[in-house]
Amino acid sequence: MILQYFKKKENEYKDVADRIYLIILHKSKKLIKKNYFEEVNFNSSFELISILLIFYLNRNKEKNYNNYKKINDELVKNFINDLDKTIREIGIGDMSIGKYVKKYVKKFYYRIKIIDPILKNFSDRDFIVFLKSLKSVDKKNTKKMANDLLGIYQEIKNKSLI
């Protein structure tokens, strides 16, 4: 009987993370249609989803939500599972899937390392420089992309958990 209570709490964190991840996917689909990238492909989707996910991870940590670490862990698990599934759909075989997932997870954590200080100091100029450093971003639309993304970040910061 007590085990059911603990199981239920874990499911609660997972449900919240699943809802947030669906919101991230929805927002990234809207942004991908705005021609911010030279070519729409896996890498451009990865960049958008990574940035939006970092926004949510940062917001949860900043607001110090109750058990935010568990929710953030679930969000990252969803992201990694999504990466694995998408890379498999692209046609990467089972023998090398781990190498590709590891490569993109390293890229994701590198982006956290770069974006966190930018969000802490909230520097739109630094964020634009970061976006320009991404290979797949169309350089002439960088400022507009930064404005849209930082607008989404402000929206995320001002909302409750869901």
Side-chain angles (χ1 to χ4, degrees):
M1 186 179 236
I2 292 175
L3 291 176
Q4 291 175 344
Y5 175 75
F6 289 114
K7 185 83 171 148
K8 189 175 182 181
K9 282 289 187 190
E10 288 175 15
N11 287 341
E12 188 178 305
Y13 305 130
K14 183 159 178 31
D15 289 344
V16 170
D18 289 347
R19 287 190 304 238
I20 292 171
Y21 197 73
L22 287 174
I23 291 169
I24 290 169
L25 293 178
H26 178 73
K27 288 180 190 265
S28 68
K29 282 181 184 177
K30 278 185 172 178
L31 286 172
I32 205 87
K33 294 177 182 175
K34 292 193 174 188
N35 297 324
Y36 293 139
F37 296 94
E38 293 173 0
E39 184 180 336
V40 175
N41 56 22
F42 176 78
N43 288 324
S44 53
S45 295
F46 168 80
E47 297 298 352
L48 274 180
I49 292 171
S50 294
I51 292 168
L52 293 174
L53 179 57
I54 292 167
F55 287 172
Y56 274 97
L57 295 174
N58 184 283
R59 189 274 319 259
N60 292 346
K61 183 173 70 174
E62 206 174 78
K63 296 237 181 188
N64 201 12
Y65 283 119
N66 209 10
N67 295 312
Y68 76 90
K69 289 181 182 178
K70 291 180 182 179
I71 294 169
N72 284 356
D73 287 346
E74 289 296 328
L75 278 169
V76 172
K77 281 181 194 174
N78 285 347
F79 177 66
I80 293 170
N81 289 337
D82 191 25
L83 266 176
D84 184 89
K85 181 181 174 232
T86 305
I87 291 172
R88 286 179 192 277
E89 287 174 358
I90 291 172
I92 304 298
D94 285 341
M95 296 301 288
S96 58
I97 193 81
K99 178 176 70 172
Y100 281 92
V101 171
K102 183 178 178 180
K103 172 184 157 187
Y104 281 100
V105 169
K106 280 184 174 183
K107 278 178 139 181
F108 173 70
Y109 281 111
Y110 177 72
R111 276 153 184 58
I112 289 176
K113 190 173 145 183
I114 292 173
I115 294 175
D116 258 355
I118 293 171
L119 295 177
K120 198 171 271 186
N121 301 326
F122 203 72
S123 170
D124 56 342
R125 189 178 61 80
D126 290 343
F127 192 66
I128 291 170
V129 169
F130 164 72
L131 290 176
K132 284 183 179 180
S133 72
L134 301 176
K135 292 178 185 175
S136 57
V137 174
D138 186 2
K139 306 306 181 226
K140 53 189 174 194
N141 291 330
T142 310
K143 188 170 175 98
K144 191 175 177 187
M145 180 181 183
N147 287 337
D148 281 352
L149 285 169
L150 291 174
I152 289 172
Y153 178 64
Q154 286 299 330
E155 176 187 319
I156 290 168
K157 273 182 71 169
N158 296 330
K159 279 188 174 179
S160 64
L161 196 55
I162 282 210

